[in-house]
Amino acid sequence: ESIEKLKQVIDINKPHVTRTAFDNNEEMYRIEICSPSIIEDLKLWNIIPRIKDTPKNQLPDIIKNSKEYMKYWISGIIDADGCISLDKENRPSLDILASQEVINYIKDYTNIDHYTEYPLKKSKQLVFLKYRGRYAIESYKQLENEYCLHRKWDKIKALI
């Protein structure tokens, strides 16, 4: 669904790649953009390709300067590198894995003081941010939007 929306927005009719996840047999989709001119245009906005030596999830300037875009960007981070789950008592948890810079922007954006934050043991650059219970629901209300992966976000939506 999200891939089809992206293809419409950027007016591309290139086929997307479909594969099956090895752990849960769900279909996964990918579209690759390999145009050097598009890559260079994105760099002008401080949107850089993720490569081995680049810190994960640097905040693009266009996002830093726009509260409107921040919501969509954060929900994209959660879709890609986050987790929304329910515990045995049906309490929600929203976990985000990102660089410290991004985590700080997310905390500033949501303005929710009740969270857990800790570094990822395998990486010096990555940090987990976790909202639980009603604070996960508050985060959901601020960040959920029409472009997010509903298979993730609907877990919290059902509790509201």
Side-chain angles (χ1 to χ4, degrees), residues 9 11 23 25 35-36 54 58 62 70-72 77 79 90 111 114 119 133 149:
V9 168
D11 193 24
D23 57 346
N25 290 328
S35 164
T54 304
Q58 286 186 324
I62 190 172
M70 181 69 85
K71 168 182 173 174
Y72 297 103
I77 292 291
D79 289 347
N90 224 23
N111 200 25
H114 294 80
L149 287 177

Side-chain angles (χ1 to χ4, degrees), residues 124-140:
K124 295 177 183 173
Q125 297 179 346
L126 299 178
V127 177
F128 273 111
L129 176 65
K130 180 184 287 277
Y131 294 108
R132 291 187 175 167
R134 68 180 178 160
Y135 305 109
I137 291 172
E138 278 184 50
S139 299
Y140 165 86

Side-chain angles (χ1 to χ4, degrees), residues 51-81:
I51 54 176
K52 185 171 77 174
D53 297 328
T54 304
K56 188 174 185 161
N57 307 125
Q58 286 186 324
L59 199 63
D61 291 336
I62 190 172
I63 304 301
K64 285 181 188 176
N65 300 325
S66 171
K67 276 218 167 257
E68 179 184 350
Y69 295 150
M70 181 69 85
K71 168 182 173 174
Y72 297 103
W73 192 76
I74 294 171
S75 68
I77 292 291
I78 295 167
D79 289 347
D81 291 325

Side-chain angles (χ1 to χ4, degrees), residues 110-128:
T110 61
N111 200 25
I112 298 172
D113 292 334
H114 294 80
Y115 57 83
T116 305
E117 180 183 331
Y118 53 94
L120 179 66
K121 292 179 183 177
K122 297 177 187 177
S123 171
K124 295 177 183 173
Q125 297 179 346
L126 299 178
V127 177
F128 273 111

